[in-house]
Amino acid sequence: MARSKGWDGLAFRPLTDPGSEARELFGFVGAWAPPATDIAAGWGAWEGETLVGAALLERAGAAAMLHGPAITAKPGADPEPALDAAAGLVALALASVEAEKVETLFARPQGLDRVWVRSGFIPVPEAELPEALRGRPGIGLFGWRGGSALWSAAGRGRDRRASPALH
């Protein structure tokens, strides 16, 4: 996504202590964050020394849930810079999870459908969530599969690795 006026100088980088660094920002924007002990990784967007956006990762084996991105914005401000910041955080998260061998990444829509779709996410049913990631707040679910993985038409409870759709 092209940068809009407002946050031309954002710096994106991993959070050094994601369990605490992003908590205040998530609280400020009213977004739920997993307990610090459940956070496997996190990424931030900084304007100078101020954290203005963050995304957190909760992992369950080869699957993970991306929480956020949570972005601060001034009331009445053009929403495009915030969407650009969200897209930047999602891109950084995707690059990181591929390197960490996360096969499936889930996210709640939060009205960011265009960010998810442009990043390769698709709407998926709740039944696709691993048991360890169920029960998180939010309505709707998007999923992303890394590498050459495809979504399977296998029924719930069947071994998805044995599905012909994956071969």
Side-chain angles (χ1 to χ4, degrees):
M1 296 176 106
R3 285 263 160 87
S4 301
K5 291 182 182 176
W7 278 334
D8 290 331
L10 282 186
F12 295 89
R13 62 182 181 263
L15 296 170
T16 55
D17 184 7
S20 64
E21 283 180 287
R23 188 149 309 278
E24 185 177 334
L25 183 118
F26 269 69
F28 178 75
V29 302
W32 184 82
T37 55
D38 294 345
I39 298 171
W43 304 270
W46 279 265
E47 181 179 34
E49 296 299 314
T50 304
L51 183 65
V52 297
L56 299 171
L57 186 80
E58 183 179 11
R59 189 154 184 184
M65 174 73 81
L66 185 62
H67 298 282
I71 309 290
T72 60
K74 294 178 176 74
D78 178 11
E80 288 303 313
L83 287 169
D84 290 346
L89 286 166
V90 170
L92 183 58
L94 286 175
S96 298
V97 299
E98 279 190 291
E100 292 296 321
K101 306 297 186 217
V102 170
E103 294 173 7
T104 309
L105 183 61
F106 296 97
R108 298 291 183 194
Q110 305 180 89
L112 297 173
D113 295 22
R114 80 179 195 191
V115 170
W116 301 124
V117 171
R118 288 180 181 175
S119 299
F121 285 76
I122 62 169
V124 296
E126 291 286 328
E128 292 290 332
L129 270 175
E131 189 70 34
L133 296 175
R134 293 190 183 166
R136 306 307 182 268
I139 297 172
L141 186 65
F142 276 80
W144 171 90
R145 290 268 167 96
S148 61
L150 299 173
W151 287 100
S152 168
R156 190 163 184 241
R158 285 184 43 205
D159 184 354
R160 286 171 171 75
R161 293 171 295 183
S163 171
L166 291 177
H167 300 289

